[in-house]
């Protein structure tokens, strides 16, 4: 394919030792060659590095190294040159301006990766994994994204597509060369059981995706409780820093305080909240409204109780408010007493102030959200919400196909549903995907990627 030549800085803005400016496209070598002094780049071999200067009509702009990659053995599968300049925004901007003056165009966000995808170097799941790698904050996120880059999801989806195609082939063959007495026998004996089996496979994949999603996106966790039970203390002791103000005055925290925290490999997106109580204070009341909203939106609620005192009506209200949520009850201030015991409810006793019991809490979070049996090199987990939604869509189409089988609809109706399932799977890898989706997906990337 022929594309214009694009340029962008791949390293972050600010002062650093070096910048790397990437140029990709058919004219990459000739454009850079025009502003490079030190070697004839157009005659240079692929996968070599040249030392020289970037100049503007003979005036030296910077001393650089250029890395040369000829198509198709490059990130974009096009001719690519990476110019390593000295650090600083000024130099990078000057070099980019020169490249644009000589025929390159500033790249859009994610355009290099988009080209890698369009040129068939990566499928969509592999392209998406690159942003996950860049954004990873835990080793587990990184491992998951690396497996996706390696093509694990790509292969998983290809395999599922083959199975769908196999069923479609069964129908086609029988339409052309009927070997069963009637079509009903074909659907009952051959088609329906195969669809059913595939639905079971998808169910398993979706179940395991819960763990993948938790690893990739973390858990939105809100710390709630009545005032003064030690919510902010708990946040601080988990983070090991004095992020939130702690005092013995009830109503200390008034707004939501957010922080991210790597808890045994799972990213907790923690929110400390204003203690819930009846109050005439306008600011505090707004804080409490925000707390209630945060509870609604959270995937995990840490409800903090005060073990140095008996359960109050306010605690009971909070127990009730959170009962339909995935929650962990925390008995804080265990150093001062152990007064609360709830029937049929497990309380994890901790002392936020003295750092006691936090490891048990971490273990509990992991056991609630992570299936340890499916973590590791040998498992392929879906984790991206877009992929999961498409697998759900595939499952729905398979259900429709099954219903069509059972209601003795013409066999080509079954085939339509199966084809929909096949298309939905293809949208995951980008085999069947709209231009709009591609544009939106890559816009989320950063410039230079
Ligand atoms: N002894 C003891 N005191 C604690 C413990 N955790 C917190 N405290 C104390 O309890 C008081 C209230 O702590 P905070 O963390 O501010 O409580 P909070 O729930 O955030 O309070 P609000 O923001 O007002 O809702 C402070 O004086 C803390 O030092 C604990 O485990 N043991
Ligand atoms: Mg607080």
């Amino acid at each position: 394919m022929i594309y214009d030549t694009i340029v962008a800085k791949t390293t972050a803005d600010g002062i650093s030792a070096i910048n790397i400016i990437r140029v990709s496209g058919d004219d990459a070598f000739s454009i850079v060659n025009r502003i490079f002094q030190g070697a004839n780049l157009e005659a240079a071999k692929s996968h070599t590095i040249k030392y020289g200067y970037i100049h503007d009509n003979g005036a030296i702009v910077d001393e650089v190294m250029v890395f040369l990659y000829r198509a198709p053995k490059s990130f974009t599968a096009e001719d690519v040159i990476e110019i390593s300049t000295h650090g600083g925004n000024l130099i990078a901007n000057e070099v980019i301006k020169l490249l644009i003056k000589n025929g390159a165009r500033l790249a859009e966000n994610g355009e290099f990766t988009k080209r890698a995808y369009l040129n068939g170097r990566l499928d969509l799941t592999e392209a998406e994994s690159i942003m996950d790698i860049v954004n990873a904050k835990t080793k587990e996120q990184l491992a998951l994204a690396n497996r996706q880059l390696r093509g694990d999801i790509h292969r998983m989806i290809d395999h599922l597509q083959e199975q769908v195609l196999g069923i479609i082939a069964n129908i086609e063959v029988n339409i052309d060369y009927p070997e069963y007495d009637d079509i009903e026998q074909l659907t009952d004996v051959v088609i329906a059981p195969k669809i059913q089996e595939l639905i079971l496979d998808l169910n398993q994949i979706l179940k395991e995706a819960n763990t993948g999603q938790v690893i990739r996106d973390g858990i939105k966790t809100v710390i709630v409780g009545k005032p003064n039970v030690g919510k902010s203390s708990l946040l601080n002791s988990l983070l090991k820093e004095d992020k939130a103000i702690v005092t013995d005055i009830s109503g200390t925290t008034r707004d939501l305080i957010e922080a991210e925290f790597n808890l045994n490999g799972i990213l907790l997106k923690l929110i400390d909240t204003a203690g819930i109580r009846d109050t005439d204070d306008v600011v505090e009341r707004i804080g409490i409204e925000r707390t209630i909203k945060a509870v609604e939106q959270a995937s995990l609620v840490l409800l903090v109780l005060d073990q140095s005192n008996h359960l109050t009506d306010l605690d009971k209200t909070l127990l009730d408010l959170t009962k339909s949520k995935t929650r962990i009850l925390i008995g804080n201030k265990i150093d001062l007493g152990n007064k609360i015991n709830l029937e049929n409810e497990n309380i994890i006793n901790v002392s936020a102030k003295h750092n006691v019991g936090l490891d048990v809490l971490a273990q509990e979070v992991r056991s609630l959200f992570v299936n340890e049996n499916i973590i590791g090199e040998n498992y392929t987990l879906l984790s991206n919400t877009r992929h999961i939604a498409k697998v759900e869509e595939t499952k729905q189409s398979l259900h429709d196909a099954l219903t069509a089988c059972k209601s003795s609809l013409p066999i080509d109706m079954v085939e339509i549903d199966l084809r929909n399932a096949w298309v939905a799977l293809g949208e995951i890898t980008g085999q069947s995907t709209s231009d709009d989706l591609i544009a939106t997906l890559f816009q989320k990337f950063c410039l230079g990627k």
Side-chain angles (χ1 to χ4, degrees):
M1 260 184 249
I2 298 174
Y3 294 111
D4 53 354
T5 299
I6 52 174
V7 57
K9 186 158 76 110
T10 61
T11 41
D13 279 348
I15 301 295
S16 60
I18 57 166
N19 290 309
I20 293 181
I21 295 163
R22 185 183 275 163
V23 188
S24 177
D26 287 356
D27 299 328
F29 278 65
S30 62
I31 290 173
V32 179
N33 202 35
R34 263 175 248 152
I35 61 166
F36 184 78
Q37 203 177 76
N40 177 6
L41 301 183
E42 289 197 84
K45 282 194 187 140
S46 183
H47 293 76
T48 57
I49 305 167
K50 299 288 176 198
Y51 164 79
Y53 295 89
I54 297 292
H55 68 91
D56 183 3
N57 280 323
I60 301 298
V61 176
D62 194 20
E63 181 187 29
V64 301
M65 305 289 284
V66 290
F67 297 72
L68 312 175
Y69 310 86
R70 289 192 185 275
K73 287 192 165 179
S74 72
F75 177 63
T76 56
E78 303 170 348
D79 281 348
V80 170
I81 294 186
E82 286 176 355
I83 308 171
S84 169
T85 71
H86 284 103
N89 296 337
L90 181 72
I91 288 178
N93 288 341
E94 287 305 308
V95 175
I96 289 171
K97 268 194 255 171
L98 272 175
L99 290 163
I100 291 172
K101 208 163 92 184
N102 280 279
R105 157 175 78 72
L106 195 63
E108 291 163 16
N109 285 8
E111 200 172 359
F112 293 98
T113 317
K114 184 176 171 184
R115 286 189 175 192
Y117 160 71
L118 291 172
N119 292 325
R121 262 266 291 126
L122 303 168
D123 85 324
L124 218 47
T125 65
E126 288 153 4
E128 285 171 303
S129 74
I130 293 175
M131 262 336 268
D132 287 353
I133 287 173
V134 174
N135 289 329
K137 287 179 183 146
T138 67
K139 281 188 201 162
E140 288 72 8
Q141 287 176 325
L142 188 59
L144 199 66
N146 270 327
R147 287 203 291 277
Q148 191 169 318
L149 178 64
R150 214 171 55 190
D152 284 15
I153 302 294
H154 187 174
R155 277 187 290 278
M156 175 203 247
I157 301 301
D158 279 357
H159 179 64
L160 289 171
Q161 268 194 312
E162 275 166 30
Q163 285 170 275
V164 176
L165 216 52
I167 307 175
I168 295 175
N170 263 296
I171 294 177
E172 296 263 333
V173 165
N174 273 278
I175 287 173
D176 295 343
Y177 314 98
E179 54 192 78
Y180 289 93
D181 293 344
D182 56 25
I183 217 78
E184 241 164 75
Q185 200 188 356
L186 167 73
T187 49
D188 280 357
V189 180
V190 183
I191 308 297
K194 283 197 172 150
I195 296 174
Q196 232 145 9
E197 205 178 303
L198 202 49
I199 291 174
L200 288 180
D201 286 352
L202 293 188
N203 279 340
Q204 184 65 20
I205 287 171
L206 287 169
K207 203 168 130 206
E208 294 178 354
N210 290 335
T211 294
Q213 209 168 12
V214 163
I215 293 173
R216 179 179 186 265
D217 298 332
I219 307 170
K220 205 163 186 185
T221 306
V222 60
I223 307 175
V224 289
K226 66 187 180 194
N228 229 22
V229 288
K231 299 179 293 300
S232 300
S233 304
L234 179 67
L235 177 88
N236 289 349
S237 64
L238 285 171
L239 295 177
K240 297 191 181 66
E241 69 170 270
D242 283 336
K243 171 109 181 166
I245 298 172
V246 167
T247 73
D248 56 3
I249 306 163
S250 283
T252 299
T253 308
R254 296 177 152 224
D255 206 347
L256 304 180
I257 298 172
E258 299 188 25
E260 285 188 346
F261 166 64
N262 181 347
L263 182 104
N264 288 4
I266 298 172
L267 199 68
L268 283 199
K269 296 176 167 171
L270 279 173
I271 304 176
D272 176 26
T273 62
I276 293 184
R277 63 169 169 181
D278 256 340
T279 174
D280 291 333
D281 184 305
V282 180
V283 179
E284 197 182 347
R285 230 179 27 229
I286 296 171
I288 291 171
E289 280 164 20
R290 289 188 180 178
T291 299
I292 291 170
K293 211 166 181 178
V295 169
E296 282 166 13
Q297 292 169 351
S299 307
L300 171 64
V301 173
L302 303 180
L303 175 55
V304 185
L305 305 166
D306 178 356
Q307 277 293 18
S308 67
N309 283 298
H310 290 288
L311 211 63
T312 65
D313 285 346
L314 207 49
D315 291 321
K316 287 177 191 156
T317 308
L318 287 168
L319 280 163
D320 207 45
L321 182 80
T322 57
K323 68 169 184 283
S324 62
K325 305 287 300 186
T326 302
R327 71 174 179 193
I328 297 175
L329 303 183
I330 295 174
N332 188 35
K333 308 195 187 182
I334 193 69
D335 53 305
L336 298 181
N338 191 356
K339 296 200 169 139
I340 302 174
N341 227 323
L342 294 173
E343 253 176 65
N344 305 325
E345 294 264 23
N346 183 27
I347 300 184
I348 298 197
N349 289 320
V350 306
S351 169
K353 191 170 179 177
H354 302 292
N355 277 315
V356 174
L358 299 182
D359 46 344
V360 184
L361 172 61
Q363 213 33 60
E364 179 71 8
V365 173
R366 239 190 123 90
S367 68
L368 275 178
F369 286 89
V370 174
N371 179 353
E372 306 287 352
N373 298 327
I374 55 169
I375 287 190
E377 277 292 305
N378 300 330
Y379 292 92
T380 304
L381 299 183
L382 285 186
S383 60
N384 183 315
T385 319
R386 188 185 76 81
H387 305 168
I388 293 169
K390 284 290 158 197
V391 172
E392 294 277 9
E393 208 178 303
T394 308
K395 196 176 114 182
Q396 187 54 51
S397 293
L398 292 177
H399 271 297
D400 292 348
L402 206 56
T403 314
C405 281
K406 292 196 171 137
S407 48
S408 311
L409 284 171
I411 194 78
D412 29 343
M413 298 302 277
V414 179
E415 195 178 330
I416 290 173
D417 291 324
L418 288 170
R419 283 187 187 276
N420 288 343
W422 187 80
V423 169
L425 288 169
E427 280 171 345
I428 297 176
T429 53
Q431 182 202 51
S432 43
T433 302
S434 73
D435 290 350
D436 281 355
L437 175 77
I438 300 297
T440 329
L441 267 183
F442 286 104
Q443 265 159 21
K444 289 190 203 144
F445 281 53
C446 39
L447 190 65
K449 246 295 146 219

